[in-house]
Amino acid sequence: MRALIIVDMQNDFCPGGRLAVPGGDEIVQRINKLTECFEHVLLTQDWHPPGHLSFASSHVGKTAFDTIELDYGTQVLWPDHCVQDTPGAEFHPQLRVDKAEFIVQKGTRHGVDSYSAFFENDKRTATGLEKYLRERGYGTLYLAGLAADFCVKFSALDARLQGFDVVVIEDAVRGIDVQGSLDRAWEEMDAAGVRVASADEV
Ligand code: VGL
Ligand code: ZN
């Protein structure tokens, strides 16, 4: 069985937001149309407490897009974004959320970022998504949303590691592109056996 996972379609990742992904809002209507082709639709929501460790503002002398080393590896520092219960963390106002059967909130722990919908960035702490999908027999996952080179990519790679069949809908994602991260993301996903399709093919 297949499911559509709509990643982080939130105000802060759209133009005008705190961590705007270029063209992030252009894919909203295409994603809405996609939901009509799926019986099962899930959402992810970046959902940080104020002062989250992934925010540059939490580190003296750092600015957005600097990196730091944490015990779980290199962490990119972001502008404050998707702070719990703020307008920036809400889904895009035009996104159809009525079909969503499950919403994964991630990045909720102060000291650990979470790009992937499956595991926090420590690569150990599970969000519960895998169990949810398995128990319902969803074996093929279609991914759309933001950002192609961070949350979409890490979700796709973790899904492959766990044995899911994964299809990224290439015209229903947009990337941030920090220092070549977008090209690298497509390469890494390809190498991991992630399939790519257009919205029309779905
Ligand atoms: C994301 C950076 C920080 C994403 C979330 O949704 O891709 N990127 N938090
Ligand atoms: Zn975030």
Side-chain angles (χ1 to χ4, degrees):
M1 239 187 321
R2 66 182 206 167
L4 174 67
I5 302 180
I6 303 170
V7 177
D8 295 4
M9 282 305 297
Q10 296 164 258
N11 289 326
D12 269 342
F13 294 123
C14 292
R18 305 292 299 276
L19 178 45
V21 181
D25 55 342
E26 293 166 9
I27 57 177
V28 175
Q29 297 311 333
R30 189 169 292 139
I31 290 175
N32 285 344
K33 276 196 77 177
L34 278 167
T35 64
E36 292 164 20
C37 308
F38 284 84
E39 198 176 332
H40 302 290
V41 178
L42 292 80
L43 303 176
T44 73
Q45 188 173 29
D46 211 37
W47 193 248
H48 299 304
H52 192 255
L53 201 70
S54 74
F55 298 168
S57 63
S58 303
H59 305 269
V60 177
K62 295 287 182 187
T63 54
F65 307 107
D66 286 349
T67 56
I68 55 167
E69 294 305 319
L70 295 176
D71 49 8
Y72 60 74
T74 303
Q75 170 71 48
V76 180
L77 295 176
W78 305 105
D80 290 29
H81 66 278
C82 298
V83 175
Q84 295 169 3
D85 295 314
T86 65
E90 288 168 15
F91 294 112
H92 187 284
Q94 260 117 52
L95 185 73
R96 278 193 54 186
V97 295
D98 49 300
K99 271 189 90 169
E101 60 180 48
F102 191 64
I103 300 176
V104 185
Q105 292 184 320
K106 60 188 184 55
T108 56
R109 275 205 291 165
H110 170 267
V112 189
D113 206 2
S114 186
Y115 298 143
S116 162
F118 292 92
F119 289 100
E120 295 185 345
N121 286 9
D122 63 7
K123 304 273 177 214
R124 276 191 299 270
T125 313
T127 61
L129 177 61
E130 187 210 353
K131 196 163 188 283
Y132 180 94
L133 298 169
R134 290 261 192 249
E135 286 176 348
R136 287 158 185 79
Y138 304 166
T140 304
L141 309 178
Y142 287 76
L143 298 182
L146 305 170
D149 42 350
F150 287 91
C151 291
V152 173
K153 177 189 89 169
F154 283 101
S155 298
L157 295 180
D158 278 348
R160 289 294 300 139
L161 276 177
Q162 294 170 107
F164 292 98
D165 186 20
V166 181
V167 183
V168 171
I169 307 169
E170 59 182 338
D171 51 354
V173 298
R174 291 286 187 276
I176 300 175
D177 207 11
V178 188
Q179 291 156 7
S181 57
L182 191 54
D183 283 345
R184 273 203 311 280
W186 290 117
E187 286 165 18
E188 286 174 58
M189 289 193 283
D190 184 56
V194 173
R195 295 190 287 141
V196 171
S198 68
D200 283 343
E201 293 165 338
V202 174

